[in-house]
Amino acid sequence: MNIVLLGAPGAGKGTQAAKLVSQEGLCHISTGDILRSAVKNETELGKKAKSYMDAGDLVPDELIIDLMRERIQEPDTSKGVILDGFPRTTTQAVALDTMLSELGRPLDAALLIDVDPEVIVGRLTSRRMCKECGAIGTAADGDACKACGGEMYQRDDDNETTVRNRLDVYEKLTSPLIDYYRGCDLLISIDGDRDPDVVFADVKKSLGL
Ligand code: ADP
Ligand code: ZN
C-alpha cells in the first residue's frame, strides 16, 4: 500500500505515520526527518536546505524531487510507503505520479489529517522532539523521551513566527493538493483534532485495515 499524508504542519502526520509503521509494517519516508538529518550531518543537501528550513520556507522542488526519486527506489520501500511531507507542491505531486508509474506502484490513498490552523499554532509551539529517536512529545511531558530516555528538544522551526510562516506556505502551496487528489479520487479526509488513538482508529478504518 502506498499512501500520501496530507495536512498542515503539526496536524499529526508524523504521529499517525509512526502508528502505521509499527502496526502495518509500511516504510515511513519523512522529508522533514531526512532534511533535518542532512542539516545535522552538514551534507551538501543539508547546507543547501538549512536557510529555507529555518525560515519556514520550502526547500526548492528540484532538490526534494531528486532526493525522493532515489529514496523511493531503495529496497525497504517494496512493501509500500507512507510519504510524510512530500509532495508539498503541485510540481512535486506531478513528479511523484511519474516516479510511481515508472515503478508500477500506484498510490492507494491521499490521507488528509484535517486540523484548524489556530489549533496548530498552540500544538507546534509546545511540541518537543527526541534527539535520539525522533519521538514526538509536548513540553508538558518533561525533558526525557518516553520511548528511549533521550533528551527532548524544541525544533528550531517551532517558534511562533516561523510556525505562522509555515502555515501561510501550507495554505498557498500545499493545500491545493487537497483538490488535486480529490480530482484523482484518492482523497480521504480525517478530523485530526481528536486524541491521536481515536484519529488512528479512523485512519485504519478508512484504509480498510
Ligand atoms: P512540518 O512540521 O512543517 O510538517 P517537516 O518536518 O515535514 O515539518 O518539514 C520541515 C521543513 O523541511 C519544512 O518547513 C521545509 O522547509 C522542509 N521540507 C520538508 N519537506 C519538504 C518538501 N516536500 N518540499 C520542500 N520543503 C520541504
Ligand atoms: Zn527517544
Side-chain angles (χ1 to χ4, degrees):
M1 177 172 308
N2 298 296
I3 302 168
V4 164
L5 282 176
L6 291 177
K13 301 187 295 290
T15 303
Q16 296 302 319
K19 290 176 186 291
L20 282 167
V21 170
S22 70
Q23 297 196 16
E24 304 298 329
L26 298 182
C27 169
H28 180 203
I29 303 179
S30 157
T31 45
D33 287 349
I34 294 172
L35 292 169
R36 274 185 292 281
S37 136
V39 169
K40 194 170 149 200
N41 297 318
E42 297 179 5
T43 67
E44 281 312 305
L45 172 68
K47 285 181 204 157
K48 290 181 192 149
K50 186 175 183 338
S51 59
Y52 299 100
M53 294 173 71
D54 285 345
D57 289 328
L58 294 186
V59 172
D61 282 335
E62 317 140 39
L63 279 181
I64 297 286
I65 291 169
D66 286 349
L67 165 84
M68 287 303 292
R69 190 177 294 116
E70 293 192 3
R71 180 65 188 89
I72 213 160
Q73 297 191 47
E74 283 173 29
D76 61 340
T77 64
S78 61
K79 281 191 188 148
V81 290
I82 310 170
L83 300 177
D84 170 5
F86 177 86
R88 247 182 166 91
T89 62
T90 307
T91 306
Q92 293 179 19
V94 172
L96 174 64
D97 285 343
T98 309
M99 286 176 216
L100 289 174
S101 75
E102 279 170 9
L103 293 168
R105 295 193 211 153
L107 263 191
D108 296 284
L111 202 63
L112 170 65
I113 314 290
D114 197 14
V115 178
D116 186 80
E118 281 310 312
V119 173
I120 300 252
V121 176
R123 272 195 193 182
L124 286 184
T125 50
S126 63
R127 177 163 77 175
R128 299 293 182 271
M129 201 179 228
C130 175
K131 265 194 180 149
E132 304 305 324
C133 76
I136 300 159
T138 75
D141 296 337
D143 297 334
C145 171
K146 282 184 181 158
C148 78
E151 187 190 334
M152 300 296 281
Y153 77 107
Q154 179 171 42
R155 268 171 49 176
D156 293 342
D157 58 354
D158 277 349
N159 64 79
E160 181 155 357
T161 317
T162 308
V163 164
R164 297 234 175 242
N165 187 46
R166 282 156 65 203
L167 286 171
D168 284 347
V169 169
Y170 174 78
E171 273 310 316
K172 282 200 200 86
L173 298 174
T174 309
S175 69
L177 296 182
I178 297 171
D179 281 335
Y180 179 89
Y181 287 114
R182 192 183 280 123
C184 316
D185 221 10
L186 289 173
L187 188 76
I188 298 173
S189 179
I190 308 260
D191 173 8
D193 194 6
R194 297 174 296 166
D195 180 89
D197 290 327
V198 177
V199 175
F200 188 57
D202 229 2
V203 165
K204 284 212 307 196
K205 199 171 93 189
S206 61
L207 292 173
L209 296 171

